[in-house]
Amino acid sequence: MDTAQIQLLLGALPVPRPLAGSTGNITALGISTECGPVQGASRACRCLPGYQWNSDVCGQYAACGALLLSPCSCLRWTAESPGYCQPLLPSTTAPASPTSAPQLIPAGDDLTISVSLGAGATEVTWYLLSPDRSSARELRNGTQTMLVTNGSVAVLSVGSISADWAGEYMCRYVCENSQLQIRQQVSVSLGPEDIVQTPAQVSMNCSASGGINLRCCIRNRGKAYRVSWVPGSRAPADLVGDTDPLCHSLPLETCPAQDTPYQCVFESEGLGAAQAVVTVSVIQAGDPFCPSNDSQGTWAATKAGQVAEILCPDNRAGTVQRSCSAGGVWGEVISNCTNRELLAGLHSAQLVLAGLGNPHSELVRLTEWLRVETQPGQGSVSSASDLLALVTTVDTISRIAGEASLHLSSSTMAVSTRDVALVGSHTPWAAHTGRDRLTFLAVVSQMLDFDLQALWAKAQADVPSVASTFLQSLENITRRLVPADGNFSFTLPNVELQGSVFDPDSLTDYSKTFHVQPLLQTHISQEVLEQLVQLGANVTVTSMALKTLGGLLPANYGPGLGNSSYVPGSLLLSSSIMSSNGSVSRAEIAMTFGHRNATEDEAVAASGEKRPQCVFWDYGLFQGEGGWSSQGCQTSGTGTTTKCTCQHLTSFSVLMSIHSIADSFWLDFLSQFGVCASILALILCLGIYYLVWRSVVRNKISYFRYMTLVNIALSLLMANAWFLGSTWMTPSHENKLCVAATFFTHFFYLAMFFWMLVQALMLFHHLVFVFHQLARASITPLVVTIGYLCPLIIAAAALAVYYPKRGYVQATACWLNGHNGAIYAFSVPVLVIVLVNVLILFVVVMKLMRPSVSEGPKGEERKILLSILKALLILTPIFGLTWGLGVITMTSKSSELSHYMFAVLNSLQGVFILVFGCLMDKKVRDALLERIQKELTSGAATTQVR
C-alpha cells in the first residue's frame, strides 16, 4: 500500500473524535512523513507538502542530498525510530519568494540583496547555488562580502562581482521553530575577463602565400553565444558546445591595406555582450620582420617591433611571448605558463578568502589538495610560475585562517582530512591517532625540497619577496595553533614543529631541543610566561625549525649589519605565543644555534668583534621584500655555539660573515669626504686644462697625453657625482633613479679605467715605437671608441642580463649586486686593465733605465733616478694600481687597515690626478703662471688707462 492509498484510507475515518486519555479531540488524520528503506546505517525520511522537520532536528541529521534545494524537507535519519514532520505555520505555508525579480548585474559592479525575515528570525545563513545547481556554498564575511542582520532585515553585499558570484542566493533562517528560506536569482553580464586565449596582435606577411586565421575565445558559461567580427563576418555565427573555452576563427585570405583592428563580439541572451580587439600588423615588401621559427614553439612571421604570442600546452594556462626587435631579430622566449590545476586551486582559495565558502571545511580541503600537488613525482610543479602559484595559495590559506579567526588543532597542521578537526575559539582540541597522515607540515617540507636553482632561484628573480611571503604564511598558520593541553611534536625532513600548552596552575619554563643538526634549542622562562597568563586562561607556545628556508631568503641586511657578505650560519627558528587575548608579539626568548662546521668556528675566533650575529627576519624592510635585522637581539656564545636573546617573537637565525668588512662612522666619513674632495679637485683640474690648453698642446704627443688626462678627469668626475647622489637614494629595483645611478656609476668608472688604458697604450707606443708616428685624424676615433664605447657595451650588457632577473642592484646601495655575478662586469675589466697597465709600467721603467741612458756622469744617473720616481708617482695613481688593494678587500678576508687604505686612496684619485697629472706638470705650471701674469698685467694696464 502506497502513501496515496493510506492517505485515502485515513480520509475515510470519521473526525472529529475524542483522544483517549485527553480532553482534546482529533480533528484530522493524514500522513506527514515518508521514509524509505534502510540503506547502510540510515534511511531517507521526507516531509510531505505542508510539513517540515523541526529546526532542532535539522541540526542533528544530514540532508538527503548535497544541495540545499528546500529547507529541511528530507533528512538521513540514523535513529532506530524516525520522528515526524510538523505542520507549517499559517504564516509560512505560502512558498517564500525572492525580494525582487531575477537580477542581471554588470561585471565589476557591486551586488546588494536585502530581505525581510519577519519578527523573531534567528540563525540567518546565506548560501549560493551555482547556475547549473550542481554545488552550493555557504557565504561568510570576507574581503568581498559583508553580511548584516539588523532586526528583521538581512542584507548581503558583494563587491566587484564576477561570474564566480552568479547563481541563486538563498537566505535561510529559523522563525517560530521552523526553517525557512528566501531566494534571489542573480546573473552576471559578460565582461572583459570572460575573453580568454585571444591575442591582442598578430602579424600577416603580404609577400607570403596563404592567409591567417584570427582567433577569439570566451569562457563557457553553459549558454549559447552568437559571435561576429567587425570588419569581417557577414552574419553572426552561433557558438555552443561542451568545451571550455569556446573559440571562433575568422579566416583572412588577403592582406589589409594597413594595420587594422578587428573587433570580436560575443553575445548571449540574458548576459549581454563582451568584445575584444585583435590588431593585424601588415608586413609589406621591404618591411623588417622576424621570419617564422620553431625554436621553443611555433612562431609565425612577426612584424619588427611587435610581440608574438602563442598558447601554452593544454595542461598549462597563460601565454608564451617573444619580441621581434626593430631590426627583425627574435628576442628571448618568455613563458608565462602555469599548471591549470594549481591555478584552479589558487582561485578556489581566493574565493574562500573573498567570502564564498565555509572557512573551516574549505581550509581542510585546500590543505589536503596542496599535500597531493606537492608530492615528489606528482609533476604539477615544474616552473617558477608554478611555485609562485603554490606560495600564493599558502599565503591565501594563512589569510583565510586569520580573517576567520580560526583556532586550529594540531591535527590541522599534521594530519589528513580523514581525521582533521578544525575548531572555533571555544571548541576543545579533538584527540587523534598516530595513523593520521601528514598534511600542512608535509606541504611545507615538500615545497622546501623543490629544486633550489630551477624553481626557488627563478621564482625569487621574478618576485624577490617569494621566500619572505612563504615564511610569513608559515608563521601566521602556526600562530593559529591552539591545542587543549600537553606537549606536541611533529618531525619531517625539512621542518620540525614543537610546542606546549600552559595553564595558570602548571606553569614551568618552556625549553625545547630540536632533533636537527647542528644544535638548536629555545627557552622561555617561567617568569615571562607568568606575565602572559591570566586567571583561567591557557598559553600556547609553538616553535618551528626550518632547515633550508633561511638560504632561500633574499640577501638583504638592515641597519647595523653593514654591507658585508653574510651566509645564514644555522637553522631558521620561528616561535609564536598565543594567549586568551590573541597572539603575543613581544616576549624575551633565548635561543642557542650550533655552527654547521669547523669553518664557522674559525670565523668566530678570527673575526674579533665581528662574531656571528643574531638576527630576525623583518618583513617590512626593503619596501616589502624583507631583510635581516638585529634590533632587539643580543649575541653571545662560545666558538661552537651562538646564543641569542631577543625581546620579540618572529623568525630567527644567525649570520656568519664570509669576511669581515669594516663598517664605521669614520670609514663612511672618509669615503664621503674623499669623494667630495675628488669632485672639487677634478673641477679645478678641468678648469686649469681649459685655461692652458693652447699653451701646452703643441704637438701630437702632447695632444694625446692631455686629451686622455681630460677624459680621465671627466669620467671620474661624472662617476663620483653619480656615486655621491646615489647615497641619498633608496636601493631597490623598483626605484628607477637608483637603477640609473647604478648604470651610470658603473659606466663612468669603467670609462675612467679604459681611458687609463688608452693613456698607457699611447705611452707604450711612444717609448717603444719611436720611429712610428701616429696621425691625429686616424687615431682619435679609435681611442674614443676604446674610452667610451667599450665601457658602454659592458655596462649595457650587465643591465640587460641582471636587471630582468632582479639581480642588478645591491640591497643596501645603488651599486652592482655582489651576490649573483653582476659585480664581475666591473671587477673583471678593471683587473685586466690594471694588469695591462702594470706590465706597461714595468716596460716604461725598463726603458728609462736602459744602459744607453744610465751610462754617463753621476749627474745623469741622478736625473734618471728622479725620472723613474716621477714616473712612478704619476703613473701609479693614474693607472689605478690602488684598485689592486680594492680587489683584495672585495674578494677575501682582510684587515680593517686595508679597508681604510682602499677607501682613502680610491676616493682621493681625483686629488691625485690634480696633483700628479696637472700641478706637478712643469708645462702646465708654467703655462698657468704665464696666463695668471698675463691676466694680472692686463688688469693693471686697464686700471692705468682709467
Side-chain angles (χ1 to χ4, degrees), residues 677-691 713 717 910 913-915 918-919 924 928:
S678 284
I679 291 175
L680 295 176
L682 291 168
I683 293 175
L684 180 60
C685 180
L686 292 173
I688 292 174
Y689 281 136
Y690 175 78
L691 294 175
L717 174 63
I913 292 176
L914 171 66
V915 174
C918 184
L919 298 181
V924 173
L928 181 61

Side-chain angles (χ1 to χ4, degrees), residues 610-626:
K610 274 291 192 179
R611 64 176 61 252
Q613 180 67 55
C614 294
V615 290
F616 73 97
W617 188 255
D618 190 338
Y619 298 100
L621 291 178
F622 299 97
Q623 299 181 338
E625 287 187 16

Side-chain angles (χ1 to χ4, degrees), residues 636-934:
S636 61
T638 64
T640 58
T641 61
T642 298
K643 183 177 181 180
C644 302
T645 304
C646 300
Q647 305 300 319
H648 48 77
L649 299 173
T650 181
S651 294
F652 300 93
S653 186
V654 293
L655 295 180
M656 308 299 298
S657 179
I658 296 175
H659 49 273
S660 180
I661 298 180
D663 180 35
S664 67
F665 166 79
W666 289 110
L667 183 60
D668 292 338
F669 173 78
L670 288 175
S671 298
Q672 297 292 334
F673 176 81
V675 170
C676 293
S678 284
I679 291 175
L680 295 176
L682 291 168
I683 293 175
L684 180 60
C685 180
L686 292 173
I688 292 174
Y689 281 136
Y690 175 78
L691 294 175
V692 303
W693 183 263
R694 293 186 178 180
S695 300
V696 298
V697 177
R698 303 226 178 237
N699 51 48
K700 287 183 289 186
I701 297 178
S702 60
Y703 168 77
F704 286 125
R705 178 188 180 189
Y706 291 113
M707 181 190 70
T708 55
L709 286 173
V710 166
N711 281 282
I712 290 172
L714 181 62
S715 298
L716 185 56
L717 174 63
M718 297 301 297
N720 285 341
W722 275 103
F723 172 79
L724 190 63
S726 68
T727 59
W728 300 92
M729 302 175 190
T730 302
S732 171
H733 283 82
E734 285 72 24
N735 188 346
K736 303 305 180 185
L737 191 58
C738 176
V739 174
T742 303
F743 173 80
F744 284 111
T745 304
H746 182 203
F747 165 66
F748 283 114
Y749 271 132
L750 280 181
M752 175 191 70
F753 281 101
F754 273 92
W755 276 107
M756 289 178 180
L757 176 63
V758 169
Q759 188 181 57
L761 293 174
M762 298 298 298
L763 179 63
F764 177 80
H765 181 272
H766 286 296
L767 285 176
V768 177
F769 304 100
V770 180
F771 302 103
H772 186 274
Q773 300 297 319
L774 298 175
R776 181 188 299 186
S778 61
I779 200 64
T780 299
L782 177 61
V783 297
V784 171
T785 298
I786 297 175
Y788 287 119
L789 185 58
C790 290
L792 180 62
I793 292 173
I794 296 174
L799 178 66
V801 171
Y802 293 102
Y803 180 73
K805 302 177 181 178
R806 301 183 62 85
Y808 186 64
V809 179
Q810 279 187 13
T812 55
C814 294
W815 179 236
L816 298 175
N817 194 321
H819 297 284
N820 58 2
I823 190 64
Y824 295 123
F826 175 74
S827 61
V828 171
V830 167
L831 288 175
V832 172
I833 291 174
V834 168
L835 179 60
V836 171
N837 287 353
V838 168
L839 294 176
I840 292 175
L841 179 60
F842 177 77
V843 174
V844 169
V845 172
M846 294 301 295
K847 292 292 292 183
L848 291 174
M849 295 180 63
R850 58 189 178 182
S852 58
V853 175
S854 59
E855 291 177 358
K858 297 293 184 180
E860 292 297 325
E861 293 179 0
R862 184 174 179 275
K863 289 182 180 180
I864 293 173
L865 292 174
L866 291 175
S867 297
I868 295 173
L869 178 61
K870 183 178 180 180
L872 289 173
L873 291 175
I874 295 175
L875 296 178
T876 299
I878 294 179
F879 289 169
L881 293 180
T882 52
W883 276 90
L885 180 62
V887 171
I888 295 175
T889 60
M890 287 189 294
T891 57
S892 62
K893 185 168 65 177
S894 54
S895 65
E896 186 172 339
L897 177 61
S898 63
H899 289 278
Y900 275 93
M901 291 176 59
F902 168 66
V904 173
L905 292 176
N906 184 54
S907 61
L908 292 178
Q909 277 211 15
V911 178
F912 295 156
I913 292 176
L914 171 66
V915 174
F916 299 111
C918 184
L919 298 181
M920 291 188 65
D921 189 323
K922 188 175 185 304
K923 287 186 177 181
V924 173
R925 290 202 311 272
D926 293 343
L928 181 61
L929 291 174
E930 181 181 349
R931 180 67 181 266
I932 293 174
Q933 291 175 355
K934 183 178 180 180

Side-chain angles (χ1 to χ4, degrees), residues 2 416 450 506 552 560 563 747 751:
D2 59 16
S416 71
F450 291 156
S506 62
L552 301 177
N563 58 353
F747 165 66

Side-chain angles (χ1 to χ4, degrees), residues 20-332:
S22 174
T23 58
N25 294 323
I26 298 175
T27 58
L29 292 172
I31 299 177
S32 66
T33 310
E34 184 181 47
C35 291
V38 176
Q39 296 179 347
S42 66
R43 56 179 170 176
C45 293
R46 187 182 308 274
C47 296
L48 296 182
Y51 298 90
Q52 186 183 61
W53 289 110
N54 181 282
S55 62
D56 293 335
V57 176
C58 286
Q60 296 178 20
Y61 299 97
C64 296
L67 298 183
L68 305 169
L69 299 179
S70 59
C72 204
S73 62
C74 182
L75 299 177
R76 298 297 305 181
W77 200 274
T78 57
E80 184 175 340
S81 177
Y84 298 93
C85 300
Q86 65 182 24
L88 290 172
L89 296 175
S91 60
T92 61
T93 54
S97 61
T99 57
S100 61
Q103 299 184 40
L104 176 64
I105 307 297
D109 283 9
D110 296 340
L111 168 68
T112 300
I113 300 177
S114 178
V115 297
S116 179
L117 307 178
T122 59
E123 300 181 25
V124 180
T125 308
W126 288 87
Y127 298 92
L128 174 60
L129 274 70
S130 61
D132 61 359
R133 306 176 75 84
S134 63
S135 63
R137 303 180 74 176
E138 184 181 350
L139 292 167
R140 297 288 187 96
N141 283 316
T143 57
Q144 281 185 248
T145 58
M146 183 173 65
L147 287 69
V148 178
T149 301
N150 186 10
S152 61
V153 178
V155 180
L156 167 67
S157 300
V158 182
S160 188
I161 200 169
S162 65
D164 296 308
W165 300 88
E168 187 175 44
Y169 288 82
M170 293 193 309
C171 178
R172 177 167 288 181
Y173 60 99
V174 174
C175 185
E176 299 182 11
N177 211 30
S178 295
Q179 192 176 74
L180 307 175
Q181 66 184 19
I182 297 178
R183 299 167 180 258
Q184 171 72 68
Q185 188 70 39
V186 173
S187 299
V188 179
S189 66
L190 297 177
E193 69 276 2
D194 289 296
I195 305 294
V196 295
Q197 298 184 9
T198 301
Q201 178 277 143
V202 296
S203 298
M204 186 172 185
N205 190 351
C206 298
S207 301
S209 59
I212 62 172
N213 288 322
L214 301 185
R215 175 186 171 98
C216 190
C217 301
I218 190 168
R219 286 193 174 95
N220 191 348
R221 289 215 209 166
K223 300 278 189 177
Y225 295 98
R226 292 181 67 81
V227 58
S228 58
W229 290 86
V230 181
S233 57
R234 288 168 289 184
D238 293 328
L239 189 62
V240 65
D242 297 330
T243 60
D244 187 23
L246 297 173
C247 299
H248 186 262
S249 296
L250 173 68
L252 287 183
E253 301 296 339
T254 59
C255 269
Q258 57 186 0
D259 292 356
T260 304
Y262 286 79
Q263 189 178 61
C264 172
V265 182
F266 289 97
E267 296 177 284
S268 181
E269 184 177 356
L271 296 180
Q275 59 188 28
V277 175
V278 181
T279 301
V280 176
S281 300
V282 178
I283 304 175
Q284 303 287 1
D287 289 344
F289 70 96
C290 294
S292 58
N293 186 281
D294 294 331
S295 174
Q296 302 183 51
T298 302
W299 303 96
T302 300
K303 189 174 183 178
Q306 301 293 341
V307 178
E309 185 178 284
I310 60 176
L311 298 179
C312 295
D314 292 338
N315 65 331
R316 304 182 71 78
T319 59
V320 184
Q321 296 180 336
R322 196 177 188 187
S323 61
C324 179
S325 70
V329 178
W330 282 114
E332 182 182 357

